[in-house]
Amino acid sequence: MVNKMLPYLKAYHDQVAAAYIADGFSHGFRIPFSGPRVATDCSNLKSARELPDVVAKKIEKECALGRVTGPFGSPPIVNLRVSPLGVVPKKTPGEFRLIHHLSYPKGSLVNNAIDPDLCSVRYASLDQAVLLVRECGPGALMAKCDIQSAFRLLPIHPDDYCP
């Protein structure tokens, strides 16, 4: 996959960002977590406990796709931080989205230990997109895409999960 991206990254206007992306997909992205790396455990959210078959099916799918692994009889990683799972209904009746509650527990949140500037998503406005197309001139094309489960496609650097 990285080899397919390289020609586009070489032409990217921000070569520092391009190198970061190429390195991340080649060796894994570092998780910018600055909190204590201590083991935690918890129970799943009420929604997950009430719909265990939905949760099991979602986890089985993630395992089959190679995006998660387990279950384990004992923690596979020293200082494994476990956050609860839950499910929320989608617009289509009977369909659910699996959530990983990283804002738990209060006072020791995973999300609190990650600088928002390092993990915030900022979308371009329609005005910005139109301006870019106008700058490119006649024949310029514009596309929008949504990569399903995009965050699950990012490899994690081994230093963030190996003892």
Side-chain angles (χ1 to χ4, degrees):
M1 177 166 70
V2 175
N3 290 337
K4 290 182 180 182
M5 280 193 266
L6 288 178
Y8 299 102
L9 292 174
K10 286 181 181 174
Y12 192 62
H13 72 279
D14 183 344
Q15 283 300 296
V16 172
Y20 173 78
I21 292 167
D23 185 68
F25 276 103
S26 298
H27 303 104
F29 290 93
R30 296 302 309 263
I31 299 173
F33 180 79
S34 62
R37 302 224 175 206
V38 295
T40 62
D41 198 2
C42 63
S43 296
N44 284 329
L45 301 176
K46 181 180 177 186
S47 61
R49 293 190 306 269
E50 290 175 347
L51 296 167
D53 293 341
V54 171
V55 173
K57 186 176 178 182
K58 297 278 186 188
I59 292 172
E60 287 168 9
K61 178 183 175 185
E62 293 300 314
C63 287
L65 292 170
R67 299 191 293 213
V68 299
T69 188
F72 302 99
S74 61
I77 302 169
V78 177
N79 296 333
L80 177 67
R81 184 179 287 260
V82 178
S83 299
L85 297 177
V87 290
V88 294
K90 291 184 173 183
K91 289 180 183 178
T92 305
E95 290 188 16
F96 298 89
R97 181 170 53 91
L98 185 68
I99 62 166
H100 193 185
H101 190 10
L102 297 176
S103 295
Y104 177 92
K106 198 168 189 164
S108 182
L109 315 178
V110 169
N111 285 344
N112 282 0
I114 299 176
D115 183 344
D117 289 335
L118 299 176
C119 64
S120 297
V121 176
R122 288 177 281 286
Y123 296 101
S125 69
L126 180 59
D127 289 342
Q128 290 169 315
V130 169
L131 180 63
L132 286 172
V133 171
R134 291 178 101 183
E135 286 177 3
C136 291
L141 302 174
M142 179 171 62
K144 175 190 175 281
C145 66
D146 181 19
I147 301 173
Q148 188 175 7
S149 303
F151 70 96
R152 291 187 178 116
L153 301 175
L154 300 175
I156 303 301
H157 194 282
D159 287 350
D160 280 316
Y161 62 84
C162 293

